[in-house]
Amino acid sequence: MYDEIFRPIIAGLFMGWANVIPGISGGTIAVIMGIFERFIDVINDIMEFKISRKDIAFIATLAIGILIGVITGSKLLTWAFQNHPFYTYSFFFGLILFSLWNFRKEVSKFRFFEFVVGFLIVVVPYFFKSGQSHVTSVVGGLGYFFLALAGVIAGASMVLPGISGSLLLMLMGYYEAAIKTVSKLTKIASGGFTISDLLFILTLGIGVLIGIGTISKLLKIWFEKAKLSVLNFILGLIAGSLYPITPAYHGTGNVFGMFLWIAIGGLVVYTLGQFEK
């Protein structure tokens, strides 16, 4: 019951929360919750048109959790990150730190090269964050091509642990436009949602789906041929994800409060682990 229903819903809930805020990866949450390989397998089954009832149930419950996470996260977490960023990031830091400690048990042999590559893929983009530009509108076929390409990159990053799809959209200048356009969905009845908004969402969405499908296929092949290699790569991705969410980079606060919220994040990981036993 837990593995088939509650784990995907809880995982989806946390993944929805993670995808709301740039800097936190939904893929990391998938690893934390122990559904990463299953998620990759199901995506590949869908691409090969051989999806089973169990796959449908998994995707459906995961989607429900993500939907709940996005809806609640867009309100609760947005408020928390705006008003108490230091303690909110402390919680996620503890969540990922303790998960990293648990995930290391999956890696039977440490491989330095794959670990460093994963680590750098996450950390390096943050050094280019300050020089970003913003796309306010998409014009012409070339504009939509680059929008779709941005969607492909963001979609691939949403699957990879440690890499924030929202952050990459921000670096490519599409994050604000994407958030504003998605928010207009609530204005369809009043006419506030235009054809250009629909084209924007469809183009970006198709790109995201292509990115998710492509990276899932590549990861599945890598898992089958060199599982130890990809596990070390993922270990590096998760370790690198601690850099952008270090509480000291997100305001100031009480040191005791920081350690308290880190401990709460660790307690969540421990509690979820008890359900698996």
Side-chain angles (χ1 to χ4, degrees):
M1 178 68 74
Y2 173 74
D3 284 333
E4 294 179 2
I5 298 177
F6 292 109
R7 188 206 291 263
I9 289 179
I10 295 172
L13 177 66
F14 277 92
M15 289 173 72
W17 286 351
N19 285 318
V20 169
I21 306 298
I24 302 175
S25 167
T28 301
I29 302 300
V31 173
I32 290 173
M33 295 300 301
I35 67 163
F36 185 71
E37 284 192 59
R38 176 74 188 282
F39 177 71
I40 296 299
D41 289 339
V42 171
I43 294 297
N44 279 277
D45 287 344
I46 293 173
M47 292 174 63
E48 296 172 4
F49 300 101
K50 59 177 185 180
I51 189 168
S52 66
R53 287 186 178 180
K54 286 187 176 181
D55 290 341
I56 294 173
F58 174 81
I59 285 293
T61 51
L62 184 67
I64 290 171
I66 291 175
L67 181 61
I68 296 172
V70 169
I71 292 173
T72 58
S74 62
K75 297 183 180 296
L76 175 62
L77 280 185
T78 299
W79 176 86
F81 277 103
Q82 288 177 347
N83 295 279
H84 303 285
F86 184 78
Y87 299 118
T88 307
Y89 276 100
S90 295
F91 169 76
F92 279 99
F93 189 90
L95 192 74
I96 295 175
L97 178 65
F98 283 87
S99 299
L100 179 66
W101 178 258
N102 289 338
F103 184 73
R104 86 197 193 313
K105 300 174 185 176
E106 303 290 329
V107 183
S108 58
K109 183 179 180 181
F110 181 73
R111 291 190 175 180
F112 181 77
F113 177 76
E114 289 91 335
F115 176 85
V116 170
V117 169
F119 183 87
L120 292 177
I121 284 177
V122 176
V123 172
V124 168
Y126 288 89
F127 292 100
F128 299 94
K129 187 177 179 180
S130 59
Q132 61 193 324
S133 59
H134 299 288
V135 175
T136 56
S137 62
V138 178
V139 180
L142 192 60
Y144 282 102
F145 170 78
F146 284 115
L147 175 63
L149 184 61
V152 171
I153 296 171
S157 65
M158 289 174 185
V159 175
L160 286 172
I163 305 178
S164 168
S166 298
L167 173 72
L168 289 187
L169 277 179
M170 183 178 288
L171 293 176
M172 291 182 286
Y174 289 97
Y175 180 75
E176 287 189 19
I179 290 297
K180 289 179 180 177
T181 305
V182 171
S183 67
K184 290 183 181 179
L185 286 170
T186 58
K187 301 178 181 179
I188 292 178
S190 62
F193 189 77
T194 65
I195 294 296
S196 61
D197 293 329
L198 177 62
L199 287 174
F200 184 98
I201 289 179
L202 286 177
T203 304
L204 183 64
I206 290 171
V208 168
L209 290 176
I210 293 172
I212 290 174
T214 302
I215 198 67
S216 297
K217 187 67 176 177
L218 293 174
L219 283 173
K220 184 171 178 61
I221 294 172
W222 197 5
F223 264 117
E224 292 174 347
K225 294 185 178 295
K227 186 172 183 177
L228 181 60
S229 177
V230 72
L231 287 177
N232 275 276
F233 175 68
I234 292 172
L235 188 69
L237 291 172
I238 299 175
S241 68
L242 289 172
Y243 169 75
I245 63 170
T246 300
Y249 296 152
H250 303 281
T252 58
N254 183 280
V255 175
F256 174 77
M258 179 187 73
F259 282 112
L260 175 63
W261 280 104
I262 288 175
I264 292 173
L267 182 62
V268 170
V269 174
Y270 173 78
T271 302
L272 293 173
Q274 295 306 301
F275 281 107
E276 299 177 21
K277 295 180 180 179

